[in-house]
Amino acid sequence: MGEKPTIAISHLGCEKNRIDTEHMLGLLVKAGYGVDTNEELADYVIVNTCSFIEAAREESVRTLVELAEANKKIVITGCMAQHFQEQLLEELPEAVAVVGTGDYHKIVDVIERAEQGERVKEISAEPTYIADETTPRYRTTTEGVAYLRVAEGCDYRCAFCIIPHLRGNQRSRTIESIVAEAEQLANQGVKEIILISQITTNYGLDVYGKPQLAELLRALGKVDVPWIRMHYAYPTGLTSDVIAAIQETPNVLPYLDLPLQHSHPDILRAMNRPWQGRVNDGIIERLKTALPSAVLRTTFIVGFPGETEEHFQHLLEFTQRHEFDHVGVFTFSPEEGTPAYSLPNQVPQAVMAERRNRLMELQQPISLRKNQQEVGKIVNVLIEQENPESGELIGRSGRFSPEVDGQVYVKGVRDAALIEARLGTIVPVAIHSADAYDLYGQIVISY
């Protein structure tokens, strides 16, 4: 055997998928492969695909076609490989392998077999694997931040969602395993750990027989990391015990990402949301009372089949009433293989787009008002980018999660403070202005 081939990874999709990419990189580096960020120079390109909605698949296909045209040996991994293995192999002769969402840990073996000339299909029909703290990992996020997966897969069957089909049923890691990885990350200098899974509030149900999120948060409170953030907390799972754990654990940010999807009971029922429209005003109010400093983020789907103007008005009023800090709005994407695909009364694309715009226009002044409440405060900001030319730094406060929320632009630090404000450190910033998305401020110099 001569030199080992070089490998590049093209990453598409969500942060769950990003962790899979990072494990594949870690495993390849450990096995002695050269990993190159430049796809043009690499012998193989692994494309870690997304198949969540139509737009994501289009992006994945575009990437695959471009690489095929450049005569690359392509390894297709991730959700689209799980979803469309046969079609991909048929339509892309350049694909030397397809690897499922529960099989990325076999990547070294897959490359070795491809090198022998085999066309590799490595896809478990029912994904059951989840990496743990012993699986090599090469982080690709900014140095101060890391995602930590607490569970994989999902037991819910929402009518619009293909994820359980692509990633299998929920499987949680143990508290010990998660804490061990958190400690490794803290030792690497990570300042913010973001806990992710499909439904973080259901964490532990499969391993312990009941959700263990409160116990997990308390255990992570002993890890020396300043910020712990949770993603995807179903409101019904935010029990008084979980709320107490958030209150009692200083490094757990009071940031709640509630994937509500809609407010109207009829639409929630049609979506097969497990609580059948019980996410009422009471739950949101209870959260706000229990955690007055909480930052609330949510996502909504507009244009679900059967959504009338009246249903949409209900959602507008709900959004107006609760004044979420951040709202993401998606138009419904009909996914083959999901119940919603064949529902009657599909909403025309133009109507969906118009509803999305109306909801976002309603939310903008609310987000602006929430951000303006930060003006005059001194907030901790994790510095993530710097512009050496202008001395301007960009980071996030606890209010903002990476990728989905705003940023804090930090001005005018050319002196002693700049030395303190290295990338990946948390510094105090006096906020002097705000717009609907971002905050602007100045580092507070402590002598």
Side-chain angles (χ1 to χ4, degrees):
M1 281 291 293
E3 280 290 290
K4 287 198 171 178
T6 57
I7 298 168
I9 297 195
S10 175
H11 166 84
L12 304 154
C14 65
E15 63 280 37
K16 271 84 69 181
N17 208 23
R18 175 169 296 283
I19 288 180
D20 302 345
T21 292
E22 293 179 346
H23 284 304
M24 286 191 282
L25 282 167
L27 288 160
L28 289 164
V29 168
K30 188 183 173 195
Y33 285 90
V35 173
D36 202 310
T37 47
N38 187 336
E39 289 158 18
E40 284 172 28
L41 300 176
D43 301 310
Y44 288 82
V45 182
I46 297 170
V47 183
N48 199 4
T49 57
C50 179
S51 199
F52 185 45
I53 56 174
E54 187 60 46
R57 277 199 296 280
E58 284 168 5
E59 186 191 9
S60 293
V61 168
R62 243 191 338 269
T63 306
L64 290 168
V65 168
E66 279 167 18
L67 290 164
E69 285 170 354
N71 288 322
K72 287 292 161 195
K73 293 180 190 165
I74 305 170
V75 176
I76 308 173
T77 65
C79 283
M80 206 167 166
Q82 187 74 30
H83 206 166
F84 297 110
Q85 50 171 330
E86 292 307 326
Q87 292 99 305
L88 289 167
L89 287 172
E90 219 163 281
E91 289 171 30
L92 281 170
E94 297 78 2
V96 296
V98 287
V99 180
T101 58
D103 305 277
Y104 57 89
H105 56 298
K106 303 170 190 163
I107 191 65
V108 171
D109 177 56
V110 167
I111 298 286
E112 282 168 5
R113 284 157 61 192
E115 278 287 272
Q116 302 299 319
E118 185 188 339
R119 201 170 189 208
V120 186
K121 270 201 294 193
E122 194 59 74
I123 295 186
S124 309
E126 292 287 319
T128 55
Y129 176 74
I130 181 168
D132 64 18
E133 76 283 9
T134 64
T135 314
R137 181 176 173 191
Y138 180 91
R139 289 206 331 277
T140 59
T141 43
T142 58
E143 55 193 291
V145 184
Y147 292 104
L148 204 173
R149 176 158 45 203
V150 300
E152 170 66 284
C154 186
D155 292 340
Y156 286 159
R157 295 293 180 266
C158 300
F160 52 82
C161 183
I162 195 86
I163 293 295
H165 177 64
L166 303 182
R167 288 194 173 256
N169 284 333
Q170 176 170 305
R171 46 206 185 271
S172 304
R173 295 166 58 181
T174 63
I175 289 177
E176 293 75 18
S177 168
I178 295 164
V179 168
E181 188 173 359
E183 282 172 344
Q184 290 172 9
L185 293 168
N187 290 335
Q188 290 164 19
V190 168
K191 298 289 186 277
E192 175 179 22
I193 291 177
I194 302 176
L195 306 181
I196 56 169
S197 70
Q198 259 65 40
I199 302 186
T200 304
T201 30
N202 277 5
Y203 162 73
L205 189 56
D206 51 306
V207 175
Y208 298 104
K210 57 181 199 291
Q212 290 290 95
L213 179 58
E215 290 73 8
L216 175 65
L217 293 176
R218 290 191 174 106
L220 287 169
K222 300 184 176 72
V223 177
D224 185 16
V225 64
W227 289 354
I228 291 171
R229 187 188 302 273
M230 272 187 303
H231 270 215
Y232 318 118
Y234 276 53
T236 41
L238 291 167
T239 57
S240 48
D241 196 24
V242 171
I243 288 171
I246 297 171
Q247 287 167 327
E248 292 158 21
T249 315
N251 56 354
V252 173
L253 295 171
Y255 176 99
L256 299 176
D257 181 2
L258 315 165
L260 296 178
Q261 312 311 357
H262 213 281
S263 63
H264 198 288
D266 294 354
I267 298 295
L268 287 164
R269 209 166 296 128
M271 285 178 168
N272 194 28
R273 301 294 277 171
W275 49 81
Q276 298 291 315
R278 277 187 296 128
V279 173
N280 48 24
D281 298 337
I283 283 186
I284 310 286
E285 290 313 323
R286 197 192 72 206
L287 290 175
K288 285 186 167 176
T289 309
L291 294 164
S293 63
V295 173
L296 297 184
R297 170 181 183 77
T298 190
T299 42
F300 294 124
I301 294 171
V302 296
F304 190 82
E307 185 189 54
T308 61
E309 180 58 34
E310 186 190 357
H311 292 138
F312 178 65
Q313 280 300 328
H314 188 278
L315 182 59
L316 286 175
E317 284 160 23
F318 180 85
T319 307
Q320 186 72 61
R321 188 162 61 249
H322 291 302
E323 303 201 321
F324 299 98
D325 294 82
H326 313 291
V327 174
V329 187
F330 297 89
T331 53
F332 170 72
S333 171
E335 294 305 309
E336 235 176 309
T338 64
Y341 183 74
S342 46
L343 283 177
N345 305 319
Q346 300 273 335
V347 177
Q349 199 64 48
V351 175
M352 289 205 258
E354 184 257 351
R355 285 181 186 166
R356 177 172 184 266
N357 292 342
R358 277 161 67 195
L359 184 50
M360 287 176 74
E361 275 167 29
L362 173 92
Q363 175 61 29
Q364 256 189 321
I366 298 171
S367 292
L368 174 62
R369 204 160 55 243
K370 293 279 182 180
N371 272 349
Q372 281 173 336
Q373 289 168 1
E374 299 295 285
V375 173
K377 292 183 185 169
I378 292 178
V379 301
N380 284 332
V381 173
L382 174 58
I383 301 296
E384 297 190 289
Q385 302 168 48
E386 57 187 346
N387 178 342
E389 302 298 294
S390 64
E392 185 177 59
L393 303 164
I394 303 174
R396 288 176 300 102
S397 69
R399 288 181 61 69
F400 300 128
S401 198
E403 310 291 331
V404 290
D405 300 330
Q407 291 176 307
V408 184
Y409 291 85
V410 183
K411 271 276 194 287
V413 280
R414 291 177 175 281
D415 51 17
L418 193 56
I419 303 154
E420 294 305 301
R422 294 187 317 280
L423 287 181
T425 61
I426 293 178
V427 295
V429 173
I431 302 299
H432 58 61
S433 59
D435 57 34
Y437 299 104
D438 303 308
L439 299 175
Y440 303 84
Q442 195 135 9
I443 289 195
V444 179
I445 300 172
S446 49
Y447 290 106

